[in-house]
Amino acid sequence: MEALNDFFTSVNNWLWGWPMIILLVGTHLYLTVRLRFPQRYMGKAIRLSLTHDKGSSGDVSQFSALMTSMAATIGTGNIIGVTTAVVMGGPGAVFWCWLTGILGIATKYAEGLLSIKYRVRKPDGEMIGGPMYAIERGMKCRWLAVAFAVCTFLASFGIGCLIQSNAIVTVGVESFGWNPLVIGLVLALLIAAVVFFGIKGIARVCDKLVPFMAVFYVVGCVVLLVLHAEWIDDALIEIVRRAFTNEAAGGGFVGSTIMIAMHFGVARGLFSNEAGMGSAPIVAAAAQTRNPVRQALVLSSSVFWDTVVVCAMTGLVIVIAIMADNGIDSSASAALTQRAFDQIPLYIGGIGVGKLLLTIAIFTFSFSTILGWAYYGEKALEYLFGSHYKAAQFIYRILLILATFAGANWALELVWNFGDTANALMAIPNLICLLALSGVLVRETRYYLWEDRLDEEQTED
């Protein structure tokens, strides 16, 4: 395991250097400008996400598709991921994580548009799509589409499974001393009970689970910020200042350079909101929507909630907790968030409310993320295996259940390193596709959005 961890560490040091940062952030910037700042339509996007597009083509409602995609994005990356970014990259990493989310709204919009534009209808009437179909049908590049599907399959075990189960165990052991083997077994059985119901079963669970878990967690963050209100201004200044300076260790923080802060901020930003990875468009392709732009706007709102709200609040809570000097060791990433939430001075039956809140949030976040990524992995297999998909699907579900148990008992650093590697490999072909088809993005956006035709029905290819 140590040798495997060293291997992924070396790979990540290369993958997440300047080339990847330039490709990811550069794509965010390029699409933001080329699409005339789609971030300004966020109010419209949120309203559309709450509207049922009756009579439109698709398998699930726009809201269900959004909740399923958010189930896969609002997860461990928003809590443990942001914490590791602060520990490894200093407070400045929070700024780069947040900025990646703001700019990533344009990229998520573009991914959603292409997923509807190039989706296909199966003989049984089901809609399927995602970057692999956009790459094949739009770019006419089958081998790159296959590469994306393979990387999606691998990522479903990293970001989608191993890291999530590991996070649940970390919090369970830290908070209550639970047995990791028991937690892993229970979690694997719960995942098995849901994944065999397919996308509609996953969507039904996510419809109920995602809004609850997000509000529940945000309330906890707000309570902590109120309790430490006098530190908010200083924390914001520190986050911005450390994003652009090289500093030695001090003030409870590790030393960091601008490059290190960017590295961990951008990597964890991608891990959290997945803008540029091409994951969420896979489920967006199943949405009931009149045209590509409507669902693209709906999908872009997920980045707003995920990064601009949830990640930003987590980062601020963690930085304040360290600056307030309440005996929190900023080098202990696995338990840092837990100890920050322990500062809520309320108890139920002798157990801290903060401890309970974080444990429930981690479980619901991680559980729903596994479900969302199970769907992504299955659709990648469907693209790769075609008519032999059903046999591959059954084997995949068994492997996913086993990986859920295994991830609960692996070292934290190993599962995160594997996740970062798979994320980068998955993002590269998707980002190439977005840049190559930017002309299509502009044309569709002009017709439906800029020329005010959002209510018009798309003619299927």
Side-chain angles (χ1 to χ4, degrees), residues 3-168:
L4 191 61
N5 183 58
D6 290 341
F7 168 76
F8 285 120
T9 299
S10 300
V11 171
N12 286 332
N13 288 337
W14 178 77
L15 277 177
W16 285 104
W18 281 113
M20 184 61 189
I21 290 176
I22 291 172
L23 177 61
L24 180 62
V25 180
T27 300
H28 290 345
L29 281 169
Y30 175 75
L31 292 175
T32 293
V33 175
R34 188 87 195 272
L35 297 174
R36 301 180 186 177
F37 295 85
Q39 292 89 339
R40 62 196 171 104
Y41 296 103
M42 190 49 54
K44 185 186 294 290
I46 293 173
R47 288 194 298 273
L48 285 173
S49 70
L50 301 175
T51 303
H52 182 59
D53 212 351
K54 295 181 180 179
S56 301
S57 299
D59 303 321
V60 296
S61 69
Q62 289 179 317
F63 183 77
S64 291
L66 176 63
M67 289 301 101
T68 303
S69 67
M70 287 184 66
T73 54
I74 297 183
T76 305
N78 299 82
I79 305 178
I80 306 298
V82 174
T83 304
T84 58
V86 174
V87 169
M88 303 300 294
V94 177
F95 173 85
W96 294 111
C97 180
W98 180 79
L99 183 62
T100 301
I102 291 289
L103 297 175
I105 290 174
T107 301
K108 186 77 86 167
Y109 166 87
E111 293 174 328
L113 193 158
L114 293 180
S115 73
I116 300 295
K117 172 69 176 176
Y118 293 107
R119 67 181 179 178
V120 298
R121 187 185 296 276
K122 295 168 57 178
D124 62 3
E126 180 186 357
M127 289 289 194
I128 54 174
M132 50 276 204
Y133 294 92
I135 293 170
E136 179 178 350
R137 301 183 69 206
M139 291 180 63
K140 311 299 182 185
C141 189
R142 167 73 178 173
W143 71 266
L144 190 62
V146 170
F148 174 84
V150 171
C151 291
T152 301
F153 170 78
L154 294 175
S156 71
F157 289 99
I159 181 176
C161 182
L162 295 172
I163 289 176
Q164 309 307 324
S165 60
N166 190 276
I168 293 174

Side-chain angles (χ1 to χ4, degrees), residues 200-251:
K200 293 186 178 179
I202 291 173
R204 283 194 296 270
V205 173
C206 293
D207 276 356
K208 307 297 186 299
L209 194 58
V210 174
F212 164 76
M213 70 181 187
V215 172
F216 193 67
Y217 178 72
V218 167
V219 167
C221 289
V222 169
V223 170
L224 284 170
L225 292 177
V226 170
L227 290 174
H228 296 94
E230 71 275 15
W231 288 94
I232 292 178
D233 289 345
D234 291 339
L236 289 172
I237 292 171
E238 188 73 4
I239 287 170
V240 175
R241 186 178 66 84
R242 292 281 291 259
F244 299 97
T245 57
N246 301 324
E247 292 202 15

Side-chain angles (χ1 to χ4, degrees), residues 71-73 75-77 152-170 183-184 187-189 191-192 195 271 274 277 362-363 365-377 396-412 414-416 418-420 422-423:
T73 54
T76 305
T152 301
F153 170 78
L154 294 175
S156 71
F157 289 99
I159 181 176
C161 182
L162 295 172
I163 289 176
Q164 309 307 324
S165 60
N166 190 276
I168 293 174
V169 166
T170 298
I183 300 175
L187 183 60
L189 292 175
I191 293 298
V195 294
F271 191 101
E274 299 177 17
M277 280 186 65
I362 283 285
F363 177 80
F365 277 34
S366 301
F367 184 76
S368 63
T369 297
I370 296 173
L371 297 182
W373 272 93
Y375 178 73
Y376 299 158
Y396 170 74
R397 289 175 175 177
I398 297 300
L399 291 175
L400 188 76
I401 294 167
L402 293 175
T404 300
F405 176 78
N409 298 280
W410 282 11
L412 177 70
L414 173 59
V415 294
W416 276 93
F418 174 73
D420 282 343
N423 289 354

